[in-house]
């Protein structure tokens, strides 16, 4: 796995964290995702809507479903899903079934669990597993460092 993030990765992760902030302001946990094509054009974006819709309304799942409904198999393979947090197992499986070729995340599931414990907040009801342990033949980059990582950590503490 290549963990080195590019300036393009950081740009799109910033947008994801902006969406995570919107989710938090709307009463949801802070998660946001952006799907881009091979030319770095934004195809779709989503934020967490668990409180507004249901427990399955994760942005990564929503974008995987959008990709299945709107892109060809080749377009999905060439696309990148940027996300504020590494996919949970449900979202990882959805991403794999959709055939999205690359995932870039700001914070890992392991980091999220550490932060939730640190902030004395409830942990996820499911075990966090690295996405590459669930999805075969996928490119994964992350986590971010510095300001981006600190920004998403701060949102999870609110």
């Amino acid at each position: 796995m290549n963990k080195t993030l590019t300036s393009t990765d950081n740009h799109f992760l910033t947008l994801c964290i902006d969406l995570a902030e919107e989710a938090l302001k709307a009463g949801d946990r802070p998660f946001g995702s952006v799907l881009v094509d091979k030319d770095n054009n934004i195809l779709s974006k989503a934020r967490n809507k668990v409180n507004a819709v249901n427990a399955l309304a994760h942005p990564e799942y929503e974008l995987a479903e959008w990709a299945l409904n709107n892109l060809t198999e080749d377009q999905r393979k060439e696309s990148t899903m940027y996300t504020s947090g590494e996919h949970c197992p449900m979202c990882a499986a959805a991403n794999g079934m959709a055939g999205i070729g690359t995932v870039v995340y700001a914070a890992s599931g392991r980091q999220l669990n550490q932060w939730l414990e640190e902030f004395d907040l409830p942990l996820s009801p499911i075990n966090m597993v690295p996405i590459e342990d669930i999805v075969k033949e996928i490119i994964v980059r992350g986590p971010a460092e510095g300001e981006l990582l600190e920004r998403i950590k701060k949102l999870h503490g609110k």
Side-chain angles (χ1 to χ4, degrees), residues 4-48:
T4 305
L5 300 183
T6 67
S7 60
T8 299
D9 292 339
N10 288 329
H11 167 73
F12 287 115
L13 289 175
T14 298
L15 297 178
C16 292
I17 295 171
D18 291 345
L19 289 165
E21 192 166 20
E22 284 180 29
L24 187 64
K25 288 177 182 175
D28 271 300
R29 297 299 306 146
F31 293 98
S33 303
V34 176
L35 186 67
V36 303
D37 68 14
K38 66 180 180 175
D39 298 318
N40 292 322
N41 297 304
I42 295 175
L43 299 170
S44 189
K45 53 189 176 177
R47 66 166 179 80
N48 199 21

